[in-house]
Amino acid sequence: MTSLPGSADEIWQKAMRTLVLRTRLRQGWTRARAGLIPIAQASIAAGIAYAVAHYVLGHEMPFFAPVAAWVCLGFTALRDVRRVAEMAVGVAVGVGMGDLLVHLIGSGWWQLTVVLFIAAIAARFIDRGALLVIQAGAQAIIVVGLPSASGGPLGRWTDALIGGAIALLVALLTPGDTRRRPRALAEQAVTELAQTLETLARGMRSRDVDDVGAALVRGRASEPVLAEWQEGARAARELARISVGRMHRGELARLEEQAVLVDRTMRSVRVLARRVIPVLEADHDVEPVAELIEGFASGVRQLASDVGSGGDGARGREALAAVAAQADPRTVGEGHWQVQSLVMLLRSPIVDTLEAAGASPGEARDALPEL
């Protein structure tokens, strides 16, 4: 049996050294893998835009062609045609205004002020989109700050049009499923929750406080993944309002709600893990609670599979309901109030995950034994 350190801080620091880097690397690899195809598409589009402006139009340094293509497409698969068009217009307005006014009044600090003001006002007049105004202003600043290359007074504007047109073409030819990224993020985040529970249960069974501390670290390190899931689901739902993916708005709204519930569950599990340490130090038998947590982790694994595949959550709901039925502090840890307190802390995250699996709030609460 592993000896117990003197404080929770020591446990935290030791577990932090062993887990944080590995968790960050895994999360980084997941983000890179998800961005591989859209980044490749945007990179190819930028190269094609440069080639068209350089070899077809004869512009010696067509800087704004690849810039426009890259800015419009970005590095994510959430490419709504309206958004890409909005970005393309913003870039074209900013570059066009900047090119024309610099040709007429030259460049300098006051010229930059005038160009930025006019470009932003023109963009605001064209459309209400904030992206359009931001891009118009940013590109106008770049135009004033950079020396003119080739292509005449409106050469850089022509380059921007080419880049924007190619980006719009790519967005039209490679329509994406707005559900794909939120589903992938959901599966990753829910799997993180399952792994946290598994690590906690393992530490309780072996009475290894290092594993309990590792569960704390894993839970804390999962915060960026959970936040990215919420943000991704929210962005996808907003895009679905004006894109061909509007038929998926119901699932995207559910994914956003699930992200909130799973984040709440993870916070509750971290509280539970902190409470486990003094119970272990008091040398109480926590084996029954560990068994309950293992069952909880198994149900969460099922939920991860459900959200990743777009399922209705029936399998996860069934497994979690079975765990909920056993979460009775009168039978689990009978006679030891500290052990019973762990069961009480476990009831709330079980309810949250049942709701995430599709149960109504009333159904989730009714799945627990009455106290």
Side-chain angles (χ1 to χ4, degrees):
M1 182 178 69
T2 305
S3 59
L4 300 178
S7 68
D9 286 342
E10 294 177 18
I11 299 169
W12 176 268
Q13 291 170 5
K14 185 173 182 179
M16 181 73 75
R17 288 193 297 268
T18 59
L19 276 184
V20 166
L21 179 60
R22 186 172 58 189
T23 301
R24 295 296 188 189
L25 288 174
R26 184 176 65 254
Q27 294 171 357
W29 168 244
T30 300
R31 290 193 299 270
R33 186 175 56 188
L36 183 63
I37 293 178
I39 288 175
Q41 291 172 343
S43 301
I44 292 171
I48 292 174
Y50 184 95
V52 170
H54 182 67
Y55 295 108
V56 177
L57 299 184
H59 294 179
E60 184 178 353
M61 292 183 292
F63 172 80
F64 284 97
V67 166
W70 173 261
V71 166
C72 292
L73 289 175
F75 55 86
T76 72
L78 292 176
R79 291 173 183 156
D80 177 71
V81 174
R82 175 186 170 88
R83 175 187 171 279
V84 173
E86 187 177 291
M87 295 282 284
V89 171
V91 172
V93 167
V95 174
M97 286 291 180
D99 233 358
L100 180 62
L101 291 175
V102 166
H103 181 72
L104 294 175
I105 64 177
S107 59
W109 71 267
W110 69 267
Q111 289 93 336
L112 185 147
T113 303
V114 172
V115 170
L116 178 58
F117 176 78
I118 294 176
I121 290 294
R124 197 63 179 162
F125 174 80
I126 292 172
D127 193 86
R128 62 184 176 84
L131 286 175
L132 192 152
V133 179
I134 292 171
Q135 284 302 322
Q139 300 305 321
I141 293 172
I142 295 174
V143 168
V144 175
L146 288 178
S148 180
S150 58
L154 294 179
R156 293 184 287 194
W157 179 66
T158 307
D159 292 341
L161 285 179
I162 291 172
I166 290 175
L168 189 58
L169 183 63
V170 170
L172 289 169
L173 295 178
T174 58
D177 188 342
T178 52
R179 299 170 298 174
R180 185 180 299 118
R181 182 169 178 266
R183 281 180 177 178
L185 291 171
E187 184 172 12
Q188 181 190 1
V190 179
T191 299
E192 289 280 354
L193 174 59
Q195 291 173 339
T196 301
L197 289 166
E198 289 163 353
T199 304
L200 177 59
R202 183 172 62 247
M204 294 173 70
R205 280 192 178 279
S206 63
R207 306 189 65 81
D208 188 340
V209 181
D210 286 346
D211 270 343
V212 176
L216 279 170
V217 173
R218 186 181 291 278
R220 180 63 60 84
S222 69
E223 288 180 356
V225 178
L226 290 162
E228 190 175 7
W229 175 14
Q230 293 186 47
E231 181 183 343
R234 188 181 305 113
R237 184 169 58 84
E238 290 295 328
L239 287 177
R241 291 180 177 177
I242 54 175
S243 72
V244 294
R246 60 173 55 92
M247 66 185 70
H248 305 312
R249 284 182 294 180
E251 181 181 344
L252 292 169
R254 186 168 70 251
L255 282 166
E256 189 176 354
E257 293 171 1
Q258 288 172 322
V260 174
L261 289 165
V262 172
D263 179 62
R264 190 187 304 165
T265 300
M266 184 65 85
R267 295 175 187 274
S268 299
V269 169
R270 294 207 306 263
V271 173
L272 173 64
R274 294 188 188 98
R275 179 58 191 158
V276 164
I277 295 172
V279 178
L280 285 177
E281 290 175 338
D283 203 27
H284 289 304
D285 180 16
V286 295
E287 186 76 17
V289 183
E291 184 177 349
L292 200 59
I293 294 175
E294 285 178 344
F296 187 17
S298 178
V300 172
R301 286 275 184 188
Q302 292 286 351
L303 177 59
S305 176
D306 286 339
V307 296
S309 62
D312 60 3
R315 293 183 305 163
R317 193 161 57 246
E318 182 180 352
L320 290 166
V323 175
Q326 302 172 43
D328 189 346
R330 293 168 300 185
T331 57
V332 181
E334 184 180 2
H336 299 285
W337 70 268
Q338 287 184 304
V339 179
Q340 290 176 324
S341 70
L342 299 181
V343 182
M344 292 296 295
L345 288 172
L346 191 57
R347 288 165 65 96
S348 177
I350 290 175
V351 168
D352 287 334
T353 49
L354 270 169
E355 290 187 45
S360 68
E363 291 171 340
R365 289 191 297 269
D366 290 343
L368 293 170
E370 291 187 8
L371 297 178

